[in-house]
Amino acid sequence: MRLLLVFPLAAMSMYAQHGDAAGKPAQNPAIGDPAAIDAGKKLFAGGCGGCHGPDGAGGRGPSLRDKVMWHSLDDSALYTTIEKGIAGTEMPASRLPAAQLWQVVAFVRSLSSPAAEMNVPGDARAGETVFSQAGCVNCHARQGRGGKLGPDLSNAGATRSYPTLRESIVDPDANGAVGYRAISVKLRNGQELSGVERNRSNYSLQLQDRAGAVHLIDMADVAEMKDSRTSPMPKDYGRRLSKPDLENLLAYLSKQSLRPVMAEKR
Ligand code: HEC
Ligand code: HEC
C-alpha cells in the first residue's frame, strides 16, 4: 500500500521490478471480490471502455467477454498486458497504480469467468421465487422441471459469465442463443404453428412449440413464414424487475451448476 504514494510513472517500473524480484502472489485478493470488481468496472469504463466498450463487449478493441476473442491469460499475465499495453497495437500502457490495476484485472476476469465461480451479490433463495413469479419457469427448465421453449438453465451458472446472464435477461436480443429464434409458419393445409426455430435448411424446418413438441416441417408445405430473427424471450424484464429482484434472480442463476462428471472420476 505504501507504494501507492509513489509517482505513477515511477511506480510502473518499480512494480515491474518488484514483481520480478519478489514474485506476485499466486492469486491477488481482488480476483473474484465483488467490491474490487465493482471498482474495476468503473476504472474500466473510464480508461478502457472507449475502445473495449463500457461493459467490455468490444469496439475498437476486441470484446473481452469471449475468451476466443483474446488470449486466455492467467491473472499475472493479464496484469502485465494491461500495465504495459501491447506494442505495435492500439492497446496502450496503463498508468494506474497496482491496487487499481488489480481491480481492473478482477473486472476483466469476471467478464469471462463462469458465474458459478464468482462471489456474486444477492440472495439466491429469494431469486428462486422471482424465477417462478416472473414467469421464467414457464419457458426454462432446471433439472428436468419447467418449460421447454427456452434453453435449459440447469447449468447456466457454470457455463455463462455473470454479465452474459445479466444481459440475457435485460437485453435478450443482444446475445440470443443459436437455435432459439422465434418463428411462426402457416402451412398449405391451413395449420398455423409458432415457437422457436431449432434447425432449418432449404428443404425442412424443425419448429419447437411452447409445449416442447418438435414439428418437422417440409418446406414444400409452408405457405407463409414469419421469422422474427429476435429472441422470443420477453424484452421488458429490465424495466419490470426491481433492482433487488434482478440481483437475487442473478444470484440464483449463478448457482445453477451441474456437478461436473469429472469430479466423480478419480
Ligand atoms: C486506444 C484503444 C484501447 C484502449 C484505451 C485499451 N485497449 Fe485494450 N486493446 C486494444 C486493442 C486494439 C487490442 C488488441 C490488440 C491486438 O491486436 O492484439 C486490445 C487488447 C486487449 C486485451 C487482450 C490482450 C490479449 O493478449 O489478447 C486486454 C485484456 C485488454 N486490451 C484490456 C484493456 C484494459 C483493461 C484497458 C484499460 C486499462 C484497455 N485494454 C485499454 C485497444 C485498447
Ligand atoms: C416466453 C418464453 C420465455 C420467458 C418467459 C423467459 N425466457 Fe429466457 N429465454 C427464452 C428463449 C427462447 C431463450 C433463447 C433465445 C435467447 O437467447 O434469447 C431464452 C434465453 C435465456 C437465457 C440465456 C440462455 C443461454 O443459453 O445463454 C437466460 C439466462 C434466460 N433466458 C433467463 C430467463 C429468466 C431469468 C427469465 C425470467 C425473468 C426468462 N428467461 C423468461 C424464452 C423465455
Side-chain angles (χ1 to χ4, degrees), residues 179-234:
Y180 288 94
R181 295 306 186 192
I183 191 165
S184 57
V185 295
K186 192 168 175 190
L187 302 182
R188 296 201 188 283
N189 67 11
Q191 190 187 2
E192 291 182 38
L193 291 165
S194 64
V196 292
E197 174 189 308
R198 279 298 152 80
N199 220 327
R200 177 163 152 193
S201 72
N202 287 339
Y203 310 104
S204 68
L205 165 73
Q206 271 179 314
L207 180 154
Q208 180 169 11
D209 66 26
R210 207 172 243 277
V214 177
H215 304 264
L216 181 61
I217 298 164
D218 193 327
M219 280 301 199
D221 296 334
V222 174
E224 263 173 55
M225 179 157 69
K226 263 218 301 273
D227 174 348
S228 75
R229 289 276 136 208
T230 68
S231 168
M233 181 150 154

Side-chain angles (χ1 to χ4, degrees), residues 121-145:
D123 174 349
R125 290 273 282 299
E128 182 164 19
T129 309
V130 178
F131 192 84
S132 302
Q133 286 174 352
C136 319
V137 71
N138 298 329
C139 291
H140 293 285
R142 288 132 314 129
Q143 320 277 353
R145 284 188 302 145

Side-chain angles (χ1 to χ4, degrees), residues 47-48 51-52 62 64 70-71 73 78 82 86 89-92 104:
C48 327
C51 289
H52 292 283
L64 301 176
W70 57 288
H71 307 92
L73 305 165
L78 184 54
I82 298 171
I86 304 173
T89 77
E90 277 191 274
M91 170 73 186
V104 173

